[in-house]
Amino acid sequence: MVYKTRAWTTDRNLHLSELSYVEGSSPAKYDKVLIGRSIFDYMHPDDIARIRSNMLTSSGDYRVFRGAICRFLLGDGITIVEEISGSPVFDDAGRFAGYRGTARMIGGIALDSLETSVPPLETVYAR
């Protein structure tokens, strides 16, 4: 994992359609897995409800969200922690067309090794 910030885009079904790297380089191995999948497919199960509530108003409308901290389980024993923000995109008829956003890596951990660059989750969530 070498990127710091990436931009992401979803379709109306919240499937990733584009990933681009603003700072750092692409971990291309994971991009191939993520494109076309729901943003929730690799998200830690404990984070999904919280992120959904950040994305939706109480009436179910999509909204801008900022600074949401979540974990992604990428396989190979890799978990990354990101701060994500996003804005809904609407087509010319005013229908929801997807999201555009950014993700800033806070840290990553390889569970099959003792090396870690992620702060304790209590510290991350306290931020």
Side-chain angles (χ1 to χ4, degrees):
M1 296 281 124
V2 291
Y3 75 92
K4 293 178 184 176
T5 305
R6 65 180 171 175
W8 54 271
T9 304
T10 72
D11 62 19
R12 65 184 196 88
N13 295 313
L14 301 180
H15 292 157
L16 284 167
S17 55
E18 183 179 344
L19 289 171
S20 58
Y21 294 82
V22 180
E23 295 178 274
S25 61
S26 165
K29 172 183 177 180
Y30 298 106
D31 287 359
K32 293 174 186 173
V33 172
L34 296 172
I35 296 294
R37 302 296 300 260
S38 166
I39 62 170
F40 301 112
D41 282 353
Y42 292 94
M43 191 176 290
H44 192 286
D46 293 344
D47 297 342
I48 292 172
R50 183 175 39 77
I51 298 302
R52 282 188 195 273
S53 71
N54 284 328
M55 296 174 83
L56 298 171
T57 65
S58 58
S59 61
D61 296 322
Y62 294 98
R63 66 177 171 191
V64 173
F65 67 96
R66 286 182 174 64
I69 305 294
C70 61
R71 297 163 287 176
F72 291 92
L73 312 171
L74 297 179
D76 296 341
I78 301 293
T79 297
I80 60 171
V81 181
E82 291 183 330
E83 176 184 47
I84 61 173
S85 300
S87 298
V89 176
F90 299 93
D91 64 18
D92 292 338
R95 294 180 300 243
F96 176 71
Y99 261 96
R100 285 193 184 128
T102 59
R104 183 175 61 90
M105 183 190 282
I106 295 171
I109 183 170
L111 297 178
D112 57 349
S113 76
L114 297 178
E115 294 181 36
T116 180
S117 61
V118 66
L121 288 178
E122 294 79 19
T123 303
V124 171
Y125 284 114
R127 258 184 96 214

